[in-house]
Amino acid sequence: MYSYVLGFNLALRGDEASRFLEEAVRTWPSLWDSIPGVRGFLLLRGALALGGPFEYQLRVDIDTLNTLSTIDRVMASGEGGWRKTRSKWFKARTVAHARVLGFVDGDEGHLNGQGAIHLLAPCRPDGSGQPESCLQAVREVPGVVSAQVLRPALAAADAQEELWVRLQSLDNLDAVAAAGGLATGRAQLFGELREVDGALFAGA
């Protein structure tokens, strides 16, 4: 399994941004799920401005690297609502940067958990940490719903293995820190965006 992760920023603010995101959480999941080889969808927004240089992170899990070719063909065709969605996307966003990560260890059903707070961090500052030690630091922490380690497959030269942690709430951060989950000092914090009862729900 691999994950296509796209960090991006929007030129929109206030009500304009809210309307764009409301439509995104309503339409994007089904659009992505309709592509053969796509296994899950996640949309995140930086919590308390702690999300790093990109305010938003879009993640879709895919079966194989060849699924990227399928994604490209489906988007290029414009069918099934993709033409309209892509047009709005390119008008709304400013910068974007993608990476592809391969699953190493942890909970394969990470995208399907209930917690709406997400912590992203490199395993170790120098990239020398083992996946097992990264997961061990957080797996038994109260409030941790799921955790996994992903390894760069198609990414920047300085990319490192990433620890992804899904939390029940921001109240669990002290427990994660006490267990060593923030040891790198480079963790980023996000709230999940999704549709709940027809409205935009923001985890943070």
Side-chain angles (χ1 to χ4, degrees):
M1 183 188 77
Y2 293 87
S3 297
Y4 174 79
V5 183
L6 178 68
F8 65 95
N9 290 328
L10 294 177
L12 309 176
R13 291 292 182 267
D15 291 343
E16 276 190 306
S18 295
R19 286 192 293 270
F20 178 85
L21 294 171
E22 286 170 359
E23 183 173 356
V25 298
R26 187 175 65 251
T27 62
W28 287 8
S30 59
L31 278 173
W32 282 99
D33 288 344
S34 69
I35 300 177
V38 171
R39 298 176 53 176
F41 172 90
L42 182 69
L43 182 61
L44 306 176
R45 180 173 62 189
L48 303 173
L50 291 171
F54 296 106
E55 186 175 3
Y56 301 91
Q57 297 276 341
L58 180 152
R59 171 179 162 178
V60 290
D61 286 355
I62 58 179
D63 287 334
T64 69
L65 293 176
N66 286 346
T67 304
L68 295 172
S69 177
T70 305
I71 291 172
D72 184 59
R73 287 197 301 271
V74 171
M75 287 186 173
S77 74
E79 297 177 358
W82 275 109
R83 181 173 290 104
K84 178 181 177 181
T85 295
R86 293 186 76 200
S87 176
K88 290 186 176 182
W89 153 254
F90 283 115
K91 289 178 181 178
R93 65 95 162 167
T94 53
V95 294
H97 180 77
R99 61 196 188 277
V100 176
L101 310 169
F103 178 81
V104 177
D105 198 4
D107 305 304
E108 291 195 23
H110 185 74
L111 297 194
N112 301 319
Q114 295 302 309
I117 301 298
H118 296 258
L119 194 68
L120 279 61
C123 277
R124 291 290 182 272
D126 58 0
S128 63
Q130 296 298 314
E132 296 81 3
S133 62
C134 289
L135 288 171
Q136 187 176 1
V138 299
R139 226 166 191 171
E140 303 303 321
V141 174
V144 171
V145 177
S146 66
Q148 59 179 196
V149 172
L150 305 178
R151 178 176 296 149
L154 299 169
D158 59 350
Q160 300 178 18
E161 287 184 343
E162 298 181 15
L163 174 67
W164 286 63
V165 182
R166 182 188 284 269
L167 302 171
Q168 289 179 349
S169 75
L170 293 172
D171 294 329
N172 306 124
L173 288 174
D174 277 335
V176 172
L182 304 182
T184 64
R186 293 167 53 193
Q188 297 175 346
L189 193 65
F190 295 89
E192 185 171 340
L193 299 176
R194 57 178 181 246
E195 184 182 28
V196 175
D197 296 330
L200 173 66
F201 168 83

